[in-house]
Amino acid sequence: MSIKRVGIVGSGIMGSGIAETAAVHGFEVVLRSRAQSTADGMVAGMEKSLARQVEKGKLPEAEREAALARVSAVSDLGALAECDLVIESVVEDLGVKKHLFSELDRICADHVVLATNTSTLPVVDLAMETGRPDKVCGVHFFNPAPVMSLVEVVRPITASDDTIALARSFAEACDKTPVVVKDQAGFIVNALLFPYLNNAVRLLEQGVASTADIDAAMKGGCGFPMGPFALLDLVGLDTSLAILDALYAEFRDPNYAAVPLLRRMVSAELYGRKSGRGFFDYRK
Ligand SMILES: NC(=O)c1ccc[n+]([C@@H]2O[C@H](COP(=O)([O-])OP(=O)(O)OC[C@H]3O[C@@H](n4cnc5c(N)ncnc54)[C@H](O)[C@@H]3O)[C@@H](O)[C@H]2O)c1
């Protein structure tokens, strides 16, 4: 099956980034958010993001216009019926995603592949909400999606070879490097990354050093492009906590047990860049 039209559900950091990536690479994109105003806001954000790329000389003006012309923003989930591939990127909550998959299964034609951008949740649980478990997989983009080159294609035990091949070819058509990974919490990247991020919060909690100094140490000492606190703020502290909780639920490894400070910061709605404040302050 060839993919012409891609549906994206969820208007957060990742939904917007995946939508932009797909549109720039020639796919028609139907963006769905629960509120039409948010869906329209995503398109406005995409216009700005693409304009910045034109200014930097990374994208010709004609391609910017063509990409935007391929995008439509909707609030009705039923508008995804004509898509060839649907990727959901809503909040990292199993109950919410399960409900969405059962609705997508009802709306989309039987041949359509339904994919999730989940960071850690069991993809098989989403597949089993549908009448097409062989056509459900993970397509895990990284943040920011237009920039990061990796896509983890997550293979639940229910998925067919054709589904995995289609997900791989979609990632390649978006100019990404796909890796295929078993449906196990955290896949490759987050299983390795989150103990490190969690332990950085532990060092802070123990008063070993400041956020700025821990970030400077990991950049200067390990050559990382950003420190752990800048990265946690970029990912979102609420999403990071959900990822750690899912990893801990699966493995019971103490390295995955979220440090209390992280949980308290989420309770205080200090989510990072998206809320204006996390470990650093972005409100200036
Ligand atoms: N942030 C990252 O770095 C990152 C990277 C890769 C994958 N992910 C995954 O992408 C997904 C989205 O994360 P994000 O960072 O874009 O989050 P976000 O907080 O920016 O956006 C979440 C979206 O979910 C929607 N939402 C919230 N509750 C909902 C509900 N009950 N029903 C339907 N929609 C609802 C919100 O309106 C919002 O559009 C998650 O599964 C996350 O694990 C995140």
Side-chain angles (χ1 to χ4, degrees), residues 226-267:
M226 61 171 62
F229 295 108
L231 183 52
L232 280 160
D233 280 354
L234 178 72
V235 170
L237 270 54
D238 51 343
T239 303
S240 298
L241 180 61
I243 291 171
L244 280 165
D245 283 347
L247 282 162
Y248 187 73
E250 180 115 308
F251 301 111
R252 303 282 157 186
D253 176 338
N255 278 304
Y256 293 133
V259 169
L261 174 61
L262 182 64
R263 204 174 290 284
R264 296 296 179 278
M265 288 182 72
V266 172
S267 299

mmCIF file of all heavy atoms in Angstrom, residues 226-267:
data_model
loop_
_atom_site.group_PDB
_atom_site.id
_atom_site.type_symbol
_atom_site.label_atom_id
_atom_site.label_comp_id
_atom_site.label_asym_id
_atom_site.label_seq_id
_atom_site.Cartn_x
_atom_site.Cartn_y
_atom_site.Cartn_z
ATOM 1 N N MET A 226 23.130 18.972 24.830
ATOM 2 C CA MET A 226 22.456 19.718 25.901
ATOM 3 C C MET A 226 22.528 18.908 27.186
ATOM 4 O O MET A 226 22.688 17.684 27.161
ATOM 5 C CB MET A 226 21.005 20.091 25.537
ATOM 6 C CG MET A 226 20.081 18.949 25.261
ATOM 7 S SD MET A 226 18.339 19.501 25.114
ATOM 8 C CE MET A 226 18.385 20.576 23.735
ATOM 9 N N GLY A 227 22.412 19.620 28.309
ATOM 10 C CA GLY A 227 22.485 18.939 29.599
ATOM 11 C C GLY A 227 21.158 18.283 29.947
ATOM 12 O O GLY A 227 20.143 18.504 29.277
ATOM 13 N N PRO A 228 21.132 17.468 31.029
ATOM 14 C CA PRO A 228 19.913 16.727 31.368
ATOM 15 C C PRO A 228 18.721 17.614 31.720
ATOM 16 O O PRO A 228 17.586 17.264 31.415
ATOM 17 C CB PRO A 228 20.339 15.872 32.575
ATOM 18 C CG PRO A 228 21.582 16.506 33.098
ATOM 19 C CD PRO A 228 22.254 17.153 31.931
ATOM 20 N N PHE A 229 18.971 18.782 32.343
ATOM 21 C CA PHE A 229 17.823 19.612 32.751
ATOM 22 C C PHE A 229 17.240 20.359 31.555
ATOM 23 O O PHE A 229 16.017 20.502 31.445
ATOM 24 C CB PHE A 229 18.220 20.548 33.898
ATOM 25 C CG PHE A 229 18.568 19.761 35.133
ATOM 26 C CD1 PHE A 229 19.883 19.647 35.561
ATOM 27 C CD2 PHE A 229 17.592 19.063 35.828
ATOM 28 C CE1 PHE A 229 20.211 18.875 36.664
ATOM 29 C CE2 PHE A 229 17.906 18.277 36.930
ATOM 30 C CZ PHE A 229 19.222 18.189 37.356
ATOM 31 N N ALA A 230 18.099 20.822 30.661
ATOM 32 C CA ALA A 230 17.579 21.439 29.425
ATOM 33 C C ALA A 230 16.779 20.405 28.639
ATOM 34 O O ALA A 230 15.730 20.718 28.059
ATOM 35 C CB ALA A 230 18.735 21.980 28.592
ATOM 36 N N LEU A 231 17.246 19.155 28.650
ATOM 37 C CA LEU A 231 16.541 18.105 27.898
ATOM 38 C C LEU A 231 15.208 17.758 28.565
ATOM 39 O O LEU A 231 14.181 17.618 27.881
ATOM 40 C CB LEU A 231 17.442 16.868 27.776
ATOM 41 C CG LEU A 231 16.894 15.700 26.957
ATOM 42 C CD1 LEU A 231 16.430 16.146 25.573
ATOM 43 C CD2 LEU A 231 17.952 14.603 26.799
ATOM 44 N N LEU A 232 15.199 17.641 29.892
ATOM 45 C CA LEU A 232 13.931 17.357 30.593
ATOM 46 C C LEU A 232 12.918 18.473 30.309
ATOM 47 O O LEU A 232 11.733 18.200 30.058
ATOM 48 C CB LEU A 232 14.179 17.233 32.101
ATOM 49 C CG LEU A 232 14.748 15.883 32.546
ATOM 50 C CD1 LEU A 232 15.411 15.996 33.923
ATOM 51 C CD2 LEU A 232 13.651 14.812 32.579
ATOM 52 N N ASP A 233 13.371 19.722 30.323
ATOM 53 C CA ASP A 233 12.462 20.845 30.037
ATOM 54 C C ASP A 233 11.949 20.784 28.598
ATOM 55 O O ASP A 233 10.820 21.198 28.317
ATOM 56 C CB ASP A 233 13.187 22.183 30.258
ATOM 57 C CG ASP A 233 13.249 22.571 31.734
ATOM 58 O OD1 ASP A 233 12.634 21.876 32.568
ATOM 59 O OD2 ASP A 233 13.906 23.587 32.039
ATOM 60 N N LEU A 234 12.769 20.312 27.685
ATOM 61 C CA LEU A 234 12.346 20.211 26.283
ATOM 62 C C LEU A 234 11.328 19.074 26.102
ATOM 63 O O LEU A 234 10.297 19.240 25.445
ATOM 64 C CB LEU A 234 13.577 19.953 25.395
ATOM 65 C CG LEU A 234 13.317 19.760 23.900
ATOM 66 C CD1 LEU A 234 12.926 21.093 23.251
ATOM 67 C CD2 LEU A 234 14.552 19.212 23.186
ATOM 68 N N VAL A 235 11.616 17.943 26.717
ATOM 69 C CA VAL A 235 10.699 16.783 26.612
ATOM 70 C C VAL A 235 9.372 17.110 27.289
ATOM 71 O O VAL A 235 8.296 16.731 26.804
ATOM 72 C CB VAL A 235 11.346 15.533 27.263
ATOM 73 C CG1 VAL A 235 10.342 14.390 27.391
ATOM 74 C CG2 VAL A 235 12.562 15.082 26.461
ATOM 75 N N GLY A 236 9.427 17.844 28.409
ATOM 76 C CA GLY A 236 8.234 18.101 29.222
ATOM 77 C C GLY A 236 8.317 17.235 30.472
ATOM 78 O O GLY A 236 8.475 16.008 30.368
ATOM 79 N N LEU A 237 8.192 17.862 31.651
ATOM 80 C CA LEU A 237 8.362 17.097 32.889
ATOM 81 C C LEU A 237 7.204 16.126 33.106
ATOM 82 O O LEU A 237 7.391 15.041 33.666
ATOM 83 C CB LEU A 237 8.529 18.048 34.085
ATOM 84 C CG LEU A 237 9.970 18.454 34.396
ATOM 85 C CD1 LEU A 237 10.709 19.037 33.203
ATOM 86 C CD2 LEU A 237 10.017 19.431 35.554
ATOM 87 N N ASP A 238 6.005 16.497 32.661
ATOM 88 C CA ASP A 238 4.846 15.594 32.797
ATOM 89 C C ASP A 238 5.046 14.353 31.925
ATOM 90 O O ASP A 238 4.835 13.218 32.372
ATOM 91 C CB ASP A 238 3.540 16.325 32.431
ATOM 92 C CG ASP A 238 3.598 17.037 31.086
ATOM 93 O OD1 ASP A 238 4.705 17.270 30.551
ATOM 94 O OD2 ASP A 238 2.523 17.341 30.544
ATOM 95 N N THR A 239 5.497 14.563 30.695
ATOM 96 C CA THR A 239 5.760 13.424 29.804
ATOM 97 C C THR A 239 6.905 12.579 30.365
ATOM 98 O O THR A 239 6.843 11.344 30.359
ATOM 99 C CB THR A 239 6.099 13.937 28.381
ATOM 100 O OG1 THR A 239 5.002 14.740 27.931
ATOM 101 C CG2 THR A 239 6.325 12.809 27.401
ATOM 102 N N SER A 240 7.933 13.238 30.890
ATOM 103 C CA SER A 240 9.080 12.510 31.455
ATOM 104 C C SER A 240 8.648 11.639 32.635
ATOM 105 O O SER A 240 9.078 10.483 32.761
ATOM 106 C CB SER A 240 10.166 13.494 31.925
ATOM 107 O OG SER A 240 10.634 14.226 30.825
ATOM 108 N N LEU A 241 7.783 12.185 33.490
ATOM 109 C CA LEU A 241 7.301 11.410 34.640
ATOM 110 C C LEU A 241 6.472 10.209 34.161
ATOM 111 O O LEU A 241 6.624 9.095 34.683
ATOM 112 C CB LEU A 241 6.470 12.314 35.558
ATOM 113 C CG LEU A 241 5.903 11.647 36.803
ATOM 114 C CD1 LEU A 241 7.010 11.101 37.706
ATOM 115 C CD2 LEU A 241 5.028 12.636 37.595
ATOM 116 N N ALA A 242 5.634 10.446 33.153
ATOM 117 C CA ALA A 242 4.821 9.339 32.619
ATOM 118 C C ALA A 242 5.733 8.243 32.049
ATOM 119 O O ALA A 242 5.469 7.045 32.209
ATOM 120 C CB ALA A 242 3.865 9.860 31.544
ATOM 121 N N ILE A 243 6.814 8.653 31.402
ATOM 122 C CA ILE A 243 7.761 7.682 30.829
ATOM 123 C C ILE A 243 8.420 6.875 31.952
ATOM 124 O O ILE A 243 8.486 5.641 31.897
ATOM 125 C CB ILE A 243 8.820 8.414 29.958
ATOM 126 C CG1 ILE A 243 8.162 8.971 28.685
ATOM 127 C CG2 ILE A 243 9.995 7.489 29.618
ATOM 128 C CD1 ILE A 243 9.052 9.901 27.862
ATOM 129 N N LEU A 244 8.903 7.560 32.984
ATOM 130 C CA LEU A 244 9.549 6.851 34.101
ATOM 131 C C LEU A 244 8.566 5.908 34.798
ATOM 132 O O LEU A 244 8.920 4.771 35.128
ATOM 133 C CB LEU A 244 10.118 7.860 35.106
ATOM 134 C CG LEU A 244 11.463 8.464 34.701
ATOM 135 C CD1 LEU A 244 11.775 9.706 35.532
ATOM 136 C CD2 LEU A 244 12.600 7.436 34.841
ATOM 137 N N ASP A 245 7.339 6.365 34.999
ATOM 138 C CA ASP A 245 6.336 5.506 35.670
ATOM 139 C C ASP A 245 6.070 4.244 34.841
ATOM 140 O O ASP A 245 5.931 3.151 35.395
ATOM 141 C CB ASP A 245 5.037 6.281 35.913
ATOM 142 C CG ASP A 245 5.156 7.248 37.097
ATOM 143 O OD1 ASP A 245 6.134 7.136 37.865
ATOM 144 O OD2 ASP A 245 4.267 8.104 37.246
ATOM 145 N N ALA A 246 6.018 4.401 33.516
ATOM 146 C CA ALA A 246 5.761 3.234 32.649
ATOM 147 C C ALA A 246 6.974 2.292 32.675
ATOM 148 O O ALA A 246 6.814 1.067 32.708
ATOM 149 C CB ALA A 246 5.472 3.681 31.224
ATOM 150 N N LEU A 247 8.176 2.855 32.686
ATOM 151 C CA LEU A 247 9.381 2.021 32.750
ATOM 152 C C LEU A 247 9.432 1.272 34.086
ATOM 153 O O LEU A 247 9.749 0.080 34.132
ATOM 154 C CB LEU A 247 10.638 2.892 32.590
ATOM 155 C CG LEU A 247 10.954 3.326 31.161
ATOM 156 C CD1 LEU A 247 11.915 4.521 31.156
ATOM 157 C CD2 LEU A 247 11.576 2.169 30.379
ATOM 158 N N TYR A 248 9.103 1.977 35.166
ATOM 159 C CA TYR A 248 9.143 1.333 36.485
ATOM 160 C C TYR A 248 8.080 0.241 36.584
ATOM 161 O O TYR A 248 8.339 -0.852 37.107
ATOM 162 C CB TYR A 248 8.959 2.374 37.603
ATOM 163 C CG TYR A 248 9.163 1.762 38.963
ATOM 164 C CD1 TYR A 248 10.441 1.428 39.399
ATOM 165 C CD2 TYR A 248 8.085 1.476 39.789
ATOM 166 C CE1 TYR A 248 10.643 0.827 40.633
ATOM 167 C CE2 TYR A 248 8.276 0.873 41.024
ATOM 168 C CZ TYR A 248 9.562 0.550 41.442
ATOM 169 O OH TYR A 248 9.752 -0.050 42.663
ATOM 170 N N ALA A 249 6.898 0.525 36.045
ATOM 171 C CA ALA A 249 5.811 -0.466 36.092
ATOM 172 C C ALA A 249 6.220 -1.743 35.353
ATOM 173 O O ALA A 249 5.882 -2.851 35.766
ATOM 174 C CB ALA A 249 4.547 0.118 35.466
ATOM 175 N N GLU A 250 6.986 -1.582 34.280
ATOM 176 C CA GLU A 250 7.370 -2.762 33.494
ATOM 177 C C GLU A 250 8.528 -3.538 34.131
ATOM 178 O O GLU A 250 8.514 -4.760 34.167
ATOM 179 C CB GLU A 250 7.776 -2.324 32.078
ATOM 180 C CG GLU A 250 8.187 -3.459 31.168
ATOM 181 C CD GLU A 250 7.242 -3.649 29.990
ATOM 182 O OE1 GLU A 250 6.032 -3.764 30.230
ATOM 183 O OE2 GLU A 250 7.722 -3.655 28.851
ATOM 184 N N PHE A 251 9.547 -2.834 34.638
ATOM 185 C CA PHE A 251 10.784 -3.515 35.050
ATOM 186 C C PHE A 251 11.043 -3.536 36.562
ATOM 187 O O PHE A 251 11.916 -4.275 37.016
ATOM 188 C CB PHE A 251 11.995 -2.875 34.362
ATOM 189 C CG PHE A 251 11.932 -2.924 32.865
ATOM 190 C CD1 PHE A 251 11.759 -1.776 32.109
ATOM 191 C CD2 PHE A 251 12.020 -4.137 32.195
ATOM 192 C CE1 PHE A 251 11.689 -1.827 30.719
ATOM 193 C CE2 PHE A 251 11.953 -4.200 30.819
ATOM 194 C CZ PHE A 251 11.792 -3.047 30.081
ATOM 195 N N ARG A 252 10.381 -2.659 37.320
ATOM 196 C CA ARG A 252 10.621 -2.546 38.784
ATOM 197 C C ARG A 252 12.099 -2.306 39.100
ATOM 198 O O ARG A 252 12.622 -2.754 40.123
ATOM 199 C CB ARG A 252 10.146 -3.793 39.537
ATOM 200 C CG ARG A 252 8.703 -4.118 39.313
ATOM 201 C CD ARG A 252 7.793 -3.221 40.130
ATOM 202 N NE ARG A 252 6.477 -3.182 39.502
ATOM 203 C CZ ARG A 252 5.486 -2.408 39.891
ATOM 204 N NH1 ARG A 252 5.635 -1.578 40.894
ATOM 205 N NH2 ARG A 252 4.343 -2.419 39.264
ATOM 206 N N ASP A 253 12.778 -1.638 38.196
ATOM 207 C CA ASP A 253 14.193 -1.323 38.392
ATOM 208 C C ASP A 253 14.260 0.029 39.108
ATOM 209 O O ASP A 253 13.667 1.010 38.627
ATOM 210 C CB ASP A 253 14.858 -1.248 36.994
ATOM 211 C CG ASP A 253 16.320 -0.830 37.048
ATOM 212 O OD1 ASP A 253 16.741 -0.200 38.041
ATOM 213 O OD2 ASP A 253 17.025 -1.106 36.067
ATOM 214 N N PRO A 254 14.962 0.112 40.284
ATOM 215 C CA PRO A 254 14.979 1.379 41.037
ATOM 216 C C PRO A 254 15.515 2.569 40.238
ATOM 217 O O PRO A 254 15.171 3.714 40.534
ATOM 218 C CB PRO A 254 15.873 1.079 42.242
ATOM 219 C CG PRO A 254 16.366 -0.309 42.092
ATOM 220 C CD PRO A 254 15.681 -0.973 40.943
ATOM 221 N N ASN A 255 16.329 2.302 39.221
ATOM 222 C CA ASN A 255 16.815 3.415 38.393
ATOM 223 C C ASN A 255 15.680 4.122 37.661
ATOM 224 O O ASN A 255 15.833 5.234 37.184
ATOM 225 C CB ASN A 255 17.813 2.902 37.355
ATOM 226 C CG ASN A 255 19.179 2.755 37.955
ATOM 227 O OD1 ASN A 255 19.729 3.717 38.489
ATOM 228 N ND2 ASN A 255 19.712 1.542 37.895
ATOM 229 N N TYR A 256 14.550 3.413 37.503
ATOM 230 C CA TYR A 256 13.395 3.997 36.811
ATOM 231 C C TYR A 256 12.382 4.613 37.781
ATOM 232 O O TYR A 256 11.381 5.164 37.345
ATOM 233 C CB TYR A 256 12.676 2.924 35.978
ATOM 234 C CG TYR A 256 13.459 2.381 34.804
ATOM 235 C CD1 TYR A 256 13.550 1.008 34.574
ATOM 236 C CD2 TYR A 256 14.073 3.237 33.893
ATOM 237 C CE1 TYR A 256 14.247 0.497 33.481
ATOM 238 C CE2 TYR A 256 14.771 2.733 32.801
ATOM 239 C CZ TYR A 256 14.855 1.368 32.603
ATOM 240 O OH TYR A 256 15.537 0.872 31.516
ATOM 241 N N ALA A 257 12.621 4.470 39.080
ATOM 242 C CA ALA A 257 11.660 5.020 40.054
ATOM 243 C C ALA A 257 11.854 6.533 40.110
ATOM 244 O O ALA A 257 12.907 7.023 40.548
ATOM 245 C CB ALA A 257 11.888 4.385 41.425
ATOM 246 N N ALA A 258 10.829 7.276 39.685
ATOM 247 C CA ALA A 258 10.982 8.732 39.557
ATOM 248 C C ALA A 258 11.384 9.357 40.886
ATOM 249 O O ALA A 258 10.809 9.049 41.934
ATOM 250 C CB ALA A 258 9.670 9.332 39.068
ATOM 251 N N VAL A 259 12.372 10.230 40.823
ATOM 252 C CA VAL A 259 12.850 10.945 42.000
ATOM 253 C C VAL A 259 11.716 11.872 42.486
ATOM 254 O O VAL A 259 11.061 12.518 41.657
ATOM 255 C CB VAL A 259 14.133 11.728 41.617
ATOM 256 C CG1 VAL A 259 14.543 12.707 42.692
ATOM 257 C CG2 VAL A 259 15.258 10.743 41.307
ATOM 258 N N PRO A 260 11.475 11.927 43.805
ATOM 259 C CA PRO A 260 10.343 12.729 44.297
ATOM 260 C C PRO A 260 10.306 14.168 43.776
ATOM 261 O O PRO A 260 9.230 14.690 43.479
ATOM 262 C CB PRO A 260 10.519 12.688 45.825
ATOM 263 C CG PRO A 260 11.223 11.383 46.079
ATOM 264 C CD PRO A 260 12.123 11.166 44.885
ATOM 265 N N LEU A 261 11.458 14.800 43.629
ATOM 266 C CA LEU A 261 11.461 16.192 43.155
ATOM 267 C C LEU A 261 10.771 16.323 41.792
ATOM 268 O O LEU A 261 10.029 17.282 41.549
ATOM 269 C CB LEU A 261 12.915 16.713 43.062
ATOM 270 C CG LEU A 261 13.080 18.105 42.457
ATOM 271 C CD1 LEU A 261 12.363 19.185 43.270
ATOM 272 C CD2 LEU A 261 14.581 18.473 42.329
ATOM 273 N N LEU A 262 10.999 15.357 40.906
ATOM 274 C CA LEU A 262 10.376 15.413 39.580
ATOM 275 C C LEU A 262 8.849 15.355 39.721
ATOM 276 O O LEU A 262 8.116 16.140 39.108
ATOM 277 C CB LEU A 262 10.888 14.253 38.713
ATOM 278 C CG LEU A 262 10.351 14.212 37.288
ATOM 279 C CD1 LEU A 262 10.794 15.429 36.480
ATOM 280 C CD2 LEU A 262 10.795 12.929 36.579
ATOM 281 N N ARG A 263 8.386 14.442 40.586
ATOM 282 C CA ARG A 263 6.932 14.301 40.788
ATOM 283 C C ARG A 263 6.357 15.589 41.377
ATOM 284 O O ARG A 263 5.289 16.054 40.978
ATOM 285 C CB ARG A 263 6.673 13.100 41.706
ATOM 286 C CG ARG A 263 5.305 12.491 41.562
ATOM 287 C CD ARG A 263 5.152 11.211 42.386
ATOM 288 N NE ARG A 263 5.914 10.091 41.891
ATOM 289 C CZ ARG A 263 5.584 9.357 40.823
ATOM 290 N NH1 ARG A 263 4.489 9.640 40.143
ATOM 291 N NH2 ARG A 263 6.345 8.359 40.424
ATOM 292 N N ARG A 264 7.066 16.186 42.329
ATOM 293 C CA ARG A 264 6.574 17.430 42.957
ATOM 294 C C ARG A 264 6.508 18.554 41.931
ATOM 295 O O ARG A 264 5.606 19.377 41.956
ATOM 296 C CB ARG A 264 7.486 17.845 44.113
ATOM 297 C CG ARG A 264 7.535 16.878 45.281
ATOM 298 C CD ARG A 264 6.181 16.752 45.979
ATOM 299 N NE ARG A 264 6.231 15.800 47.079
ATOM 300 C CZ ARG A 264 6.120 14.468 46.937
ATOM 301 N NH1 ARG A 264 5.938 13.942 45.751
ATOM 302 N NH2 ARG A 264 6.181 13.677 47.986
ATOM 303 N N MET A 265 7.492 18.614 41.052
ATOM 304 C CA MET A 265 7.488 19.680 40.040
ATOM 305 C C MET A 265 6.305 19.520 39.086
ATOM 306 O O MET A 265 5.690 20.493 38.671
ATOM 307 C CB MET A 265 8.815 19.694 39.279
ATOM 308 C CG MET A 265 9.939 20.225 40.171
ATOM 309 S SD MET A 265 11.509 20.319 39.352
ATOM 310 C CE MET A 265 11.254 21.711 38.248
ATOM 311 N N VAL A 266 5.961 18.278 38.757
ATOM 312 C CA VAL A 266 4.794 18.047 37.885
ATOM 313 C C VAL A 266 3.520 18.455 38.628
ATOM 314 O O VAL A 266 2.642 19.114 38.048
ATOM 315 C CB VAL A 266 4.742 16.578 37.409
ATOM 316 C CG1 VAL A 266 3.446 16.283 36.677
ATOM 317 C CG2 VAL A 266 5.943 16.282 36.503
ATOM 318 N N SER A 267 3.451 18.122 39.938
ATOM 319 C CA SER A 267 2.270 18.539 40.723
ATOM 320 C C SER A 267 2.137 20.059 40.717
ATOM 321 O O SER A 267 1.028 20.591 40.721
ATOM 322 C CB SER A 267 2.383 18.060 42.172
ATOM 323 O OG SER A 267 2.451 16.666 42.203
#
